[in-house]
Amino acid sequence: MSQAPLSLPTMYDLPSEIVGEPGLPDEFHLYQPQLLSATFRPLGYPEDKIFTATDLNLYYDLRHTNWYKRPDWYAAVGVDRLYAQQELRLSYVIWQELVSPMIIVELLSPGTEQEDMGRTMRKPNQPPTKWEVYEQILRVPYYILLNRYTDELQIFQLVGNSYALINNPNDQLFYIPELQSSIGLWQGRCHGVERLWLRWYDRTGQLILTDSEQKEQERSLKEEAQARAERLAQRLRALGVDPDMII
């Protein structure tokens, strides 16, 4: 007698929120991921094949379908932007998506720092640590840690079967060839706060602008052009030339 096909839980079956878990701990954990998503535009992938997530449950184990991690920010490429090409996700279920994140970013907090940095050991009969999941199970190619208190940036790249810390000074950009993009720290204002922020750059090292930054840049360029035209008109008038008569 043939066995019935294995029925696995989908994102509709797996919880997106766990009762009793705290919410986002602070504004930085809200604004920093938003900036990463707003500037993540890897070359070679259309918008509908790029997915970014903030604090969204990531389910990774077929044998323990209720086990999950919740990265502060992660991105997958080559996967449909919408679940089944039609809905916003409630969670990211690896056995359905079949694509691991290309990059995960954790923002260090006092309560999670030790686990984020791979300094905790797996307890008996408990799920694996974040480090184990990202490195050994999902094999995420790039794992980045940012300490908001010291502004220290640590970049790990999967080399063989383990993460290797990349010697990348904070004032330099780190290029990711799979994305044809760079990531690095930027001193600037985001949500009205001036500080170092982590954001994406293009392959030439130029900032990838958010939509609001792009609009502001276009407005400034327009105003600058108008100002130049007015200065030229004033010089022509001083010479006795009517600028309106020049074709």
Side-chain angles (χ1 to χ4, degrees):
M1 181 181 295
S2 61
Q3 294 182 342
L6 181 63
S7 178
L8 298 172
T10 71
M11 77 167 191
Y12 300 109
D13 306 306
L14 296 166
S16 57
E17 296 182 4
I18 306 299
V19 176
E21 281 196 351
L24 290 171
D26 53 58
E27 288 184 298
F28 183 74
H29 277 73
L30 177 64
Y31 296 151
Q32 175 60 89
Q34 287 179 356
L35 181 59
L36 286 170
S37 290
T39 58
F40 185 68
R41 296 169 190 169
L43 292 180
Y45 296 94
E47 289 186 4
D48 62 354
K49 291 296 182 179
I50 300 171
F51 176 70
T52 65
T54 301
D55 209 42
L56 185 75
N57 287 6
L58 172 57
Y59 292 89
Y60 57 86
D61 194 324
L62 277 171
R63 298 165 301 175
H64 304 278
T65 55
N66 63 332
W67 285 3
Y68 69 94
K69 298 300 177 188
R70 188 183 289 179
D72 290 322
W73 185 86
Y74 58 101
V77 293
V79 64
D80 289 331
R81 164 66 185 87
L82 298 176
Y83 180 78
Q85 299 183 340
Q86 60 185 352
E87 293 191 56
L88 295 171
R89 287 176 177 79
L90 301 172
S91 55
Y92 194 88
V93 183
I94 197 66
W95 54 85
Q96 286 192 290
E97 306 292 351
L98 303 178
V99 177
S100 289
M102 173 65 68
I103 183 170
I104 287 179
V105 175
E106 292 286 6
L107 308 173
L108 297 182
S109 298
T112 62
E113 180 175 358
Q114 295 303 308
E115 182 177 3
D116 289 343
M117 298 183 70
R119 296 175 179 171
T120 55
M121 299 295 292
R122 181 176 184 177
K123 298 178 181 178
N125 302 318
Q126 292 297 313
T129 65
K130 286 182 184 178
W131 190 280
E132 290 179 274
V133 171
Y134 301 163
E135 179 189 62
Q136 301 298 322
I137 298 176
L138 294 176
R139 298 186 58 77
V140 177
Y142 300 95
Y143 179 40
I144 294 181
L145 301 174
L146 175 61
N147 189 324
R148 61 167 295 194
Y149 302 103
T150 64
D151 294 324
E152 180 184 10
L153 181 65
Q154 297 180 76
I155 300 174
F156 296 89
Q157 183 175 2
L158 192 65
V159 179
N161 294 319
S162 60
Y163 280 133
L165 178 63
I166 303 300
N167 182 18
N168 189 75
N170 276 14
D171 60 351
Q172 294 184 11
L173 301 181
F174 178 69
Y175 182 68
I176 299 178
E178 296 95 329
L179 303 174
Q180 298 188 60
S181 303
S182 297
I183 193 168
L185 294 176
W186 165 75
Q187 180 72 40
R189 184 171 292 275
C190 179
H191 291 277
V193 178
E194 179 78 22
R195 60 159 293 124
L196 280 173
W197 299 92
L198 184 65
R199 65 181 296 167
W200 290 96
Y201 296 73
D202 67 18
R203 59 182 173 180
T204 68
Q206 298 298 310
L207 281 174
I208 296 176
L209 302 181
T210 65
D211 289 343
S212 60
E213 288 172 336
Q214 182 68 39
K215 291 178 181 178
E216 177 61 25
Q217 183 184 75
E218 292 172 354
R219 184 189 65 79
S220 297
L221 290 174
K222 182 178 180 180
E223 290 180 352
E224 183 179 343
Q226 291 173 340
R228 285 200 303 267
E230 181 57 31
R231 288 195 297 269
L232 177 59
Q234 290 175 358
R235 292 172 184 169
L236 290 172
R237 294 188 187 100
L239 296 173
V241 178
D242 184 356
D244 294 330
M245 299 300 295
I246 298 176
I247 299 178

